[in-house]
Amino acid sequence: MPVLTLAAVRDVRQLSASVWKMTLYSPELARPAKPGQFVHIKCGEGNFLRRPISVCNAQGDTLTLVFERKGAGTRYLSERRAGEKLDILGPLGNGFELRKGRYLLVGGGIGVPPLLYAAKSAESADAVLGFRTKDAVILEDEFRAACGEVTVATDDGSYGTYGTIAAPLREMLASGGYAGVLACGPRAMLRAVAEICAEHSVPCQVSMEERMGCGVGACLVCACKTREGGARAMRRVCKDGPVFWAEEVCW
Amino acid sequence: MPVLTLAAVRDVRQLSASVWKMTLYSPELARPAKPGQFVHIKCGEGNFLRRPISVCNAQGDTLTLVFERKGAGTRYLSERRAGEKLDILGPLGNGFELRKGRYLLVGGGIGVPPLLYAAKSAESADAVLGFRTKDAVILEDEFRAACGEVTVATDDGSYGTYGTIAAPLREMLASGGYAGVLACGPRAMLRAVAEICAEHSVPCQVSMEERMGCGVGACLVCACKTREGGARAMRRVCKDGPVFWAEEVCW
Amino acid sequence: MADLNVTFAGVPFKTPVVVASGTFGFGREYGEIFDLSRLGGICVKGLTLRPRLGNPPPRIAETPMGILNSVGLQNPGVDRFIEEELPYLKTLGTNIIANISGETVEEYAEMAEKLSDAGVDLIEVNISCPNVKAGGAAFGTSCDAAASVTRAVKRAARVPVMVKLTPNVTDIAEIARAVEDAGADAVSLINTLLGMRIDINTRRPVLKNNTGGLSGPAVFPVAVRMVWQVRRAVKIPICGMGGISTGEDAVEMMLAGADIVAVGTALFRDPFAAIRVTEGIVRYLDEHQIENVTEITGKVLLN
Amino acid sequence: MADLNVTFAGVPFKTPVVVASGTFGFGREYGEIFDLSRLGGICVKGLTLRPRLGNPPPRIAETPMGILNSVGLQNPGVDRFIEEELPYLKTLGTNIIANISGETVEEYAEMAEKLSDAGVDLIEVNISCPNVKAGGAAFGTSCDAAASVTRAVKRAARVPVMVKLTPNVTDIAEIARAVEDAGADAVSLINTLLGMRIDINTRRPVLKNNTGGLSGPAVFPVAVRMVWQVRRAVKIPICGMGGISTGEDAVEMMLAGADIVAVGTALFRDPFAAIRVTEGIVRYLDEHQIENVTEITGKVLLN
Ligand SMILES: Cc1cc2nc3c(=O)[nH]c(=O)nc-3n(C[C@H](O)[C@H](O)[C@H](O)COP(=O)(O)OP(=O)(O)OC[C@H]3O[C@@H](n4cnc5c(N)ncnc54)[C@H](O)[C@@H]3O)c2cc1C
Ligand SMILES: Cc1cc2nc3c(=O)[nH]c(=O)nc-3n(C[C@H](O)[C@H](O)[C@H](O)COP(=O)(O)OP(=O)(O)OC[C@H]3O[C@@H](n4cnc5c(N)ncnc54)[C@H](O)[C@@H]3O)c2cc1C
Ligand SMILES: Cc1cc2nc3c(=O)[nH]c(=O)nc-3n(C[C@H](O)[C@H](O)[C@H](O)COP(=O)(O)O)c2cc1C
Ligand SMILES: Cc1cc2nc3c(=O)[nH]c(=O)nc-3n(C[C@H](O)[C@H](O)[C@H](O)COP(=O)(O)O)c2cc1C
Ligand code: FES
Ligand code: FES
């Protein structure tokens, strides 16, 4: 049951050249929030649409969001100050399906933050986190605290393992024993993760992105093409997702 | 020569139920400003057009504006806080033509503030200030400090003289000796002032209002119909005005 | 409190505020957020005879105070709508308006018949969708085509018929007259204005469909003008829409000539927009001591 | 730094950014604020054969991210323009584009002849003004009328002729083709969309003229779409306008098909808008290592 609420900004700080972390006080949002869900934020008077941002963490009455400054909306968010209020609709979407067991979390770039809350909520978890370069690495300490094994990879090898998440993912899956994989990141990465998981027969959930209107499932703009038992369907990222079973997505 | 500048808000305070006073630090605006000129203020991202507000006072590097909260733009202005900056274009318009001698200032409602700077700039001045009711009276002390004689009139007689400014204006003009009348207020009042001044053969300048676009004289939306030596013309309130000789205005 | 009841094309509406087709799905989602019985009516997502997957994403682009959409009539088809969605909708205590699009005149008629049998309150004939190849706006830009769709639907329908007009025409009043003459019980306007946005870094249109329909506050002054023009051209009632987001906007649209209004894109910014619009209308009527909302329709005083 | 030179309809422009007719007067006012030689050109306020007082005020209404105007072609007439304004304009070191409106085809031709003699760089034929009774948009909504005005002006003019199209039509590409066939050297678009605002307290339209033309960011996606449609329909160059306020907007308009762009209403919010647009184009070209601005025109990649 999403609510529309004014959440109080507690803190906004920069994590890297283009990524910010925002802490909000909002029992209405923080308490019901599940890992993989998102909130839909009004970004001032100049930006017509709300912006979807995933829950990075929810603890007690506090909600944490981590976002990249891309355009006017996220710029607006990055310029908020403690004490201001934000008009937020949420929590929205289905979130990850978490059962018992050990999960492997696979994140790429700004797809990393939503996995933190999953890491904290899972019975146990390992993580493979991919970034472009050393300066883009975020939340490593937080993941190390919440996970068992954490592998950081950078595309240019400037930090951690050299290359994409594919090699470490293969290795860790080969070692076996995962109840499932939860992935969030660029579409090309998700597709690769889906394929690797299929090879290893590990159930894989992916968190998809699409441009949104209503955020609640009514306007059908956030379509994700899926197949379910042979039939093609257009599902709503905001309501049926953002988390989908990897094998259902038409990549 | 208008400038576009970021002016620092020093203070915003409420003068009456619907009127606010804003003090700005801005040498670029305050130094060149003349009585009767106005500034054109950007009112946030949600309001497309700038809002024209008259100079109420300019002293050293400080500019004072007094405005009524009417709609979204003036609401935005009333919500500014000390330390914020406003994007302002100005000073604009011609301003009052002040010669030697004693002037009679006639203001009605929110037309009163622009006359304060004229009062301070004139060699000497008296004032007749009209308001709807007692609670709407503003700037009385400031006018008493800057003028010789000050008559306050209220439409409902709840304060000062009962009725409009017409009667006190007639009386004071009858006593004679004014170099001119400067008037600002609702159109109907200005028209009455113009007629009374004509009866008394006293030169009268009126400050006109019209909805504005550019504010600098380029777009021709702020038309005021005038006659100049028999010929009809459309003059620009923002550039040829806002101050016009009363006898030139087609009422 | 002012009386909000309006009889529109013979159908009683308890408030003049409905939600616009395509912005409210089949009601279930917003039904989790507020009490749908507070609405005058729900125009459901556009229906077609057969199920449609719609256009590929991205289907939305932001514009200054507006959006472009290119959903392309994704819907389960009229039969599944009647089976799976209408029973729920009928429990909501508000008018249900079925919005229909066909590729041929016959398809429109067939759907109108099915939906009449199924018991919707009103049929909205969409001859103005800019996001589909066949049918859609092609019917809405010619008087003859608009009239022939209207006639066919009127013959098939046993509930009142409202025809939804496109703003992408030289003379909307002319189209309105054509559908009135063809028997329409009401008109609704405006559908979206055709628009385009391009991502300057990829050089590709933001919408996968390249172009899409503009809606939201940006189009409001165009919608007010068109409602006013149509009001002067026809006698049948008007459902006015296009950019309404406040009670003041709704009042303005009604003064221009709308009998009822629809709220669409504004919901994306404020899910309670339709309720706030309703409350704003009441506030206006009470402040101006107007007893019945019907008193303001078309009451603009020209300069 | 990227090369901004564009030859447009045979006329060299040192930047592709001009200011739109009616938003810049005859240049004097903004000339006090910035150096006008930094502009690619100035489209002057619309001229008519005889002086016009224009419409009564109010002539402007604010809308969400836009404005309505109903100036109605206030101008001193073409003769006084040539005598009193053109000499100053010619000193500015930028192209001067005369914008003309007539009530008859003959008036257009007469003005074109006078202005050619007087030595403007380009003539913009306004067949799209929504704010005058005779002439104006009436010529712009019919292919035949648009073509006949174009032919008459082309016969009379000895400088290149650009025809300014109205967006208030069902098919703008068709009108563009008609004026191209009639000999136009270029087209410019869009003029304003017809709109209306009503003051709900007085119940009167905000504009004394009741309706007016919508411009500003609100119309940008419609303008981009129309420029794109016209680009695919004609070979002559396009001056694209409608809601441009940043360099990014200008680039988007050029990708859609504009050879040069005009900045209008954005000036009211930011008097330096045209300069900032120019700087933004340079930044984009430099970042993308594009040497000449002409390389981006029409280079949208369809999905
Ligand atoms: C379910 C979901 C969860 C997300 N979680 C996060 C997160 O935790 N952290 C984070 O940094 N980003 C996240 N994103 C992406 C984020 O929504 C966009 O980066 C943001 O909307 C960009 O807005 P902008 O105004 O800064 O950029 P602009 O490019 O100016 O935005 C223009 C329009 O496009 C939309 N848009 C642009 N990029 C995207 C995108 N990738 N996905 C969806 N809409 C987009 C915007 O919402 C806006 O409507 C998420 C997206 C989705 C769909
Ligand atoms: C030269 C000049 C000087 C002015 N000086 C003052 C002043 O010192 N103090 C003061 O309180 N007011 C002054 N006004 C009036 C003031 O500009 C308007 O009250 C203000 O623009 C209203 O904006 P809004 O957004 O609050 O109202 P809205 O009604 O929401 O405004 C909508 C649009 O209409 C315009 N508008 C509405 N009323 C007026 C008006 N009376 N005159 C011009 N445009 C209007 C707005 O600028 C805006 O574009 C002056 C007007 C002019 C022309
Ligand atoms: C996402 C979206 C989907 C739409 N789908 C339909 C539709 O299926 N049928 C229809 O007639 N109109 C459709 N419309 C148009 C709206 O019903 C409405 O006419 C238009 O958006 C203008 O109103 P607004 O500005 O209040 O949204 C759609 C609009 C949007 C934004
Ligand atoms: C106040 C105003 C006056 C205008 N006058 C004219 C005119 O005289 N002739 C003309 O062809 N277009 C005129 N236009 C239209 C503009 O030139 C331009 O086509 C339109 O405003 C869209 O561009 P913009 O959104 O950048 O302003 C006028 C526009 C405005 C806002
Ligand atoms: S954003 Fe409206 S359905 Fe997903
Ligand atoms: S506001 Fe543009 S000329 Fe006065």
Side-chain angles (χ1 to χ4, degrees):
Chain A
M1 220 54 96
V3 296
L4 184 69
T5 186
L6 286 177
V9 176
R10 277 288 162 80
D11 187 55
V12 184
R13 65 184 56 192
Q14 202 164 351
L15 298 185
S16 76
S18 62
V19 176
W20 271 254
K21 175 174 158 183
M22 177 182 275
T23 314
L24 296 159
Y25 172 81
S26 176
E28 303 94 311
L29 296 171
R31 299 221 169 144
K34 292 192 298 169
Q37 287 193 303
F38 70 97
V39 295
H40 214 28
I41 314 177
K42 188 166 156 182
C43 294
E45 296 311 310
N47 300 296
F48 184 73
L49 290 172
R50 291 170 179 270
R51 303 304 196 246
I53 301 291
S54 296
V55 173
C56 169
N57 198 10
Q59 212 161 5
D61 296 338
T62 304
L63 191 75
T64 309
L65 309 175
V66 171
F67 57 88
E68 186 176 15
R69 192 154 93 174
K70 266 191 64 174
T74 46
R75 172 175 302 274
Y76 173 87
L77 292 180
S78 72
E79 289 165 354
R80 292 312 93 203
R81 296 289 161 260
E84 296 185 40
K85 302 223 158 160
L86 282 174
D87 177 328
I88 304 187
L89 177 67
L92 299 169
N94 56 358
F96 293 111
E97 194 180 306
L98 279 177
R99 306 236 169 128
K100 283 193 186 306
R102 191 168 197 77
Y103 278 89
L104 180 55
L105 315 179
V106 188
I110 196 62
V112 165
L115 298 173
L116 184 61
Y117 191 24
K120 299 194 182 209
S121 307
E123 201 174 271
S124 74
D126 296 332
V128 183
L129 310 176
F131 299 94
R132 247 179 20 266
T133 184
K134 183 180 178 188
D135 293 343
V137 175
I138 50 169
L139 301 177
E140 186 183 355
D141 294 346
E142 286 82 347
F143 274 90
R144 294 214 181 274
C147 294
E149 204 175 321
V150 175
T151 304
V152 173
T154 54
D155 295 349
D156 62 359
S158 54
Y159 187 77
T161 309
Y162 173 79
T164 72
I165 48 77
L169 169 61
R170 281 217 166 77
E171 254 173 58
M172 293 176 80
L173 285 182
S175 73
Y178 288 109
V181 165
L182 313 179
C184 187
R187 195 177 171 95
M189 182 201 97
L190 294 181
R191 186 180 179 157
V193 172
E195 282 169 9
I196 297 171
C197 287
E199 287 167 20
H200 291 78
S201 307
V202 176
C204 175
Q205 298 172 52
V206 290
S207 178
M208 304 296 288
E209 266 189 19
E210 195 44 77
R211 290 181 184 241
M212 288 187 179
C214 68
V216 301
C219 74
L220 308 185
V221 305
C222 60
C224 174
K225 205 178 230 177
T226 59
R227 64 181 106 63
E228 291 151 71
R232 286 280 174 94
M234 283 290 197
R235 306 196 55 202
R236 301 160 301 179
V237 170
C238 70
K239 181 85 179 177
D240 307 315
V243 179
F244 294 90
W245 290 104
E247 72 268 22
E248 289 183 359
V249 175
C250 299
W251 295 102
Chain B
M1 220 56 97
V3 298
L4 184 69
T5 186
L6 285 178
V9 176
R10 276 288 162 79
D11 187 54
V12 184
R13 67 183 57 191
Q14 200 165 351
L15 298 186
S16 74
S18 62
V19 176
W20 270 254
K21 175 174 160 182
M22 176 182 275
T23 315
L24 296 159
Y25 173 81
S26 176
E28 303 94 312
L29 296 172
R31 299 221 170 143
K34 292 191 299 169
Q37 286 193 303
F38 69 97
V39 295
H40 215 28
I41 314 176
K42 188 165 156 181
C43 294
E45 297 311 309
N47 300 297
F48 184 74
L49 289 172
R50 291 171 179 271
R51 302 302 195 248
I53 302 290
S54 295
V55 173
C56 170
N57 198 12
Q59 211 163 5
D61 296 338
T62 303
L63 191 76
T64 308
L65 308 175
V66 171
F67 56 89
E68 186 177 13
R69 191 154 96 174
K70 264 190 66 174
T74 46
R75 171 176 301 274
Y76 173 86
L77 293 180
S78 71
E79 288 165 355
R80 293 311 93 203
R81 295 288 161 261
E84 295 184 41
K85 302 222 161 163
L86 282 174
D87 178 327
I88 304 188
L89 177 67
L92 299 170
N94 56 357
F96 292 110
E97 194 181 306
L98 279 177
R99 306 236 168 126
K100 281 193 189 306
R102 189 166 198 77
Y103 277 88
L104 180 56
L105 315 179
V106 187
I110 196 63
V112 164
L115 298 174
L116 184 61
Y117 191 24
K120 298 193 183 209
S121 307
E123 202 174 87
S124 75
D126 296 330
V128 182
L129 310 176
F131 299 95
R132 246 180 20 268
T133 185
K134 183 179 178 190
D135 293 343
V137 176
I138 50 169
L139 302 177
E140 185 184 355
D141 294 346
E142 287 82 347
F143 273 89
R144 295 217 179 270
C147 294
E149 202 175 323
V150 175
T151 305
V152 174
T154 53
D155 295 349
D156 63 359
S158 53
Y159 186 78
T161 309
Y162 173 79
T164 74
I165 48 79
L169 169 61
R170 281 215 166 80
E171 256 173 57
M172 293 177 79
L173 285 181
S175 73
Y178 289 108
V181 165
L182 313 179
C184 188
R187 195 177 173 95
M189 183 201 95
L190 294 181
R191 185 181 181 160
V193 172
E195 284 168 10
I196 296 171
C197 288
E199 287 165 21
H200 291 79
S201 308
V202 176
C204 174
Q205 299 174 51
V206 289
S207 178
M208 304 295 288
E209 267 190 18
E210 195 43 77
R211 291 182 183 240
M212 288 187 178
C214 68
V216 302
C219 74
L220 307 187
V221 306
C222 60
C224 174
K225 204 177 229 176
T226 59
R227 65 181 104 63
E228 291 152 72
R232 283 281 173 96
M234 281 291 196
R235 306 195 56 201
R236 301 161 300 179
V237 170
C238 69
K239 181 84 177 176
D240 307 314
V243 179
F244 294 91
W245 291 103
E247 71 268 21
E248 288 183 1
V249 174
C250 298
W251 295 102
Chain C
M1 198 185 94
D3 182 356
L4 294 185
N5 285 284
V6 181
T7 301
F8 179 86
V11 180
F13 280 72
K14 65 184 160 199
T15 90
V17 181
V18 306
V19 286
S21 177
T23 64
F24 212 77
F26 300 124
R28 292 186 194 273
E29 297 77 17
Y30 283 106
E32 290 185 14
I33 298 179
F34 67 90
D35 174 8
L36 303 186
S37 74
R38 299 179 67 188
L39 297 172
I42 297 175
C43 296
V44 302
K45 174 64 197 166
L47 301 168
T48 50
L49 195 55
R50 277 168 291 276
R52 278 180 65 97
L53 286 180
N55 292 319
R59 294 174 170 183
I60 188 169
E62 195 180 44
T63 75
M65 279 300 118
I67 63 165
L68 295 175
N69 92 80
S70 60
V71 171
L73 298 179
Q74 174 182 340
N75 80 97
V78 69
D79 294 333
R80 270 182 59 199
F81 165 75
I82 290 171
E83 216 172 295
E84 297 170 14
E85 305 293 344
L86 190 55
Y88 162 76
L89 285 163
K90 282 184 169 180
T91 66
L92 297 177
T94 188
N95 288 320
I96 303 305
I97 304 168
N99 179 280
I100 61 171
S101 284
E103 295 189 9
T104 62
V105 171
E106 293 69 32
E107 283 190 7
Y108 277 103
E110 190 178 341
M111 294 171 75
E113 189 156 7
K114 288 184 177 201
L115 289 160
S116 297
D117 285 344
V120 300
D121 297 290
L122 202 66
I123 291 173
E124 182 176 51
V125 184
N126 180 3
I127 53 169
S128 43
C129 181
N131 295 321
V132 293
K133 288 212 182 69
F139 288 114
T141 52
S142 129
C143 289
D144 288 349
S148 65
V149 173
T150 306
R151 266 191 302 270
V153 172
K154 270 303 285 180
R155 265 196 303 271
R158 283 177 306 279
V159 298
V161 171
M162 167 162 90
V163 180
K164 185 158 179 183
L165 308 178
T166 172
N168 301 299
V169 291
T170 308
D171 184 357
I172 195 166
E174 180 184 277
I175 311 276
R177 268 189 300 263
V179 304
E180 177 180 51
D181 290 347
D185 301 295
V187 285
S188 54
L189 62 142
I190 57 175
N191 209 317
T192 53
L193 277 157
L194 195 63
M196 187 181 203
R197 288 304 307 264
I198 300 167
D199 180 325
I200 63 174
N201 292 312
T202 63
R203 295 191 176 187
R204 293 196 176 274
V206 174
L207 298 173
K208 192 76 177 177
N209 198 43
N210 296 320
T211 59
L214 180 65
S215 62
V219 308
F220 181 67
V222 174
V224 171
R225 180 263 295 184
M226 289 187 164
V227 165
W228 173 71
Q229 288 179 321
V230 169
R231 176 72 293 150
R232 307 197 323 163
V234 301
K235 295 212 167 48
I236 51 178
I238 298 174
C239 174
M241 73 189 91
I244 294 174
S245 39
T246 65
E248 285 80 9
D249 294 343
V251 168
E252 191 169 336
M253 193 70 93
M254 297 183 85
L255 288 170
D259 296 272
I260 63 173
V261 296
V263 176
T265 305
L267 294 159
F268 302 172
R269 206 171 153 76
D270 174 8
F272 295 96
I275 300 301
R276 290 197 230 270
V277 165
T278 313
E279 290 167 352
I281 296 173
V282 171
R283 212 179 313 117
Y284 174 86
L285 296 174
D286 287 349
E287 269 168 21
H288 290 73
Q289 300 181 337
I290 299 166
E291 284 185 11
N292 197 305
V293 69
T294 56
E295 290 170 46
I296 63 174
T297 292
K299 292 295 166 54
V300 58
L301 302 167
L302 291 190
N303 286 312
Chain D
M1 199 186 94
D3 182 356
L4 294 186
N5 285 284
V6 181
T7 300
F8 179 86
V11 180
F13 281 73
K14 65 184 159 197
T15 89
V17 181
V18 306
V19 286
S21 177
T23 65
F24 211 78
F26 300 125
R28 293 187 194 272
E29 297 77 18
Y30 282 107
E32 291 185 14
I33 298 179
F34 66 90
D35 173 8
L36 303 187
S37 75
R38 299 179 67 189
L39 295 173
I42 297 175
C43 296
V44 303
K45 175 63 196 166
L47 301 167
T48 50
L49 195 56
R50 276 168 293 275
R52 277 180 65 95
L53 288 181
N55 291 319
R59 293 174 170 184
I60 188 168
E62 194 179 45
T63 75
M65 280 299 118
I67 62 164
L68 296 176
N69 92 79
S70 59
V71 171
L73 298 178
Q74 175 181 341
N75 82 96
V78 69
D79 293 332
R80 270 182 59 198
F81 166 75
I82 289 171
E83 215 173 294
E84 297 170 14
E85 305 292 344
L86 191 56
Y88 161 76
L89 285 162
K90 282 185 168 177
T91 66
L92 298 176
T94 187
N95 289 320
I96 303 305
I97 305 168
N99 178 281
I100 60 171
S101 284
E103 294 188 12
T104 62
V105 171
E106 293 70 31
E107 283 191 7
Y108 278 103
E110 190 178 340
M111 294 171 74
E113 190 157 6
K114 289 183 176 199
L115 289 159
S116 297
D117 286 344
V120 300
D121 297 290
L122 201 68
I123 291 172
E124 182 175 50
V125 183
N126 180 2
I127 52 168
S128 42
C129 181
N131 296 321
V132 293
K133 288 211 182 70
F139 288 114
T141 51
S142 129
C143 288
D144 288 349
S148 66
V149 172
T150 306
R151 265 190 303 270
V153 172
K154 271 304 285 179
R155 265 196 303 269
R158 283 176 306 280
V159 298
V161 171
M162 168 161 89
V163 180
K164 185 158 179 184
L165 308 179
T166 172
N168 301 300
V169 292
T170 309
D171 184 358
I172 196 167
E174 179 185 275
I175 312 275
R177 268 189 301 263
V179 305
E180 177 179 52
D181 291 345
D185 301 295
V187 284
S188 54
L189 60 142
I190 58 174
N191 209 316
T192 53
L193 278 157
L194 194 62
M196 186 181 205
R197 287 304 307 264
I198 300 167
D199 180 325
I200 61 173
N201 292 311
T202 63
R203 295 191 176 186
R204 294 195 176 274
V206 174
L207 299 172
K208 192 77 176 174
N209 198 43
N210 296 320
T211 60
L214 181 66
S215 62
V219 309
F220 181 66
V222 174
V224 171
R225 180 264 294 186
M226 289 188 164
V227 164
W228 173 71
Q229 288 179 321
V230 169
R231 177 71 292 149
R232 307 195 326 160
V234 301
K235 295 212 165 49
I236 50 178
I238 297 173
C239 173
M241 73 189 90
I244 294 175
S245 40
T246 66
E248 287 79 10
D249 294 343
V251 169
E252 190 170 335
M253 193 70 94
M254 297 183 84
L255 288 169
D259 296 270
I260 63 173
V261 296
V263 176
T265 305
L267 294 160
F268 303 172
R269 205 171 155 75
D270 175 9
F272 295 96
I275 301 302
R276 290 195 229 271
V277 165
T278 312
E279 289 167 352
I281 295 174
V282 171
R283 211 179 314 117
Y284 174 86
L285 296 174
D286 287 348
E287 268 168 23
H288 290 74
Q289 301 181 338
I290 298 165
E291 286 185 10
N292 197 305
V293 67
T294 56
E295 291 170 47
I296 63 173
T297 293
K299 291 296 165 52
V300 59
L301 302 166
L302 291 190
N303 286 313

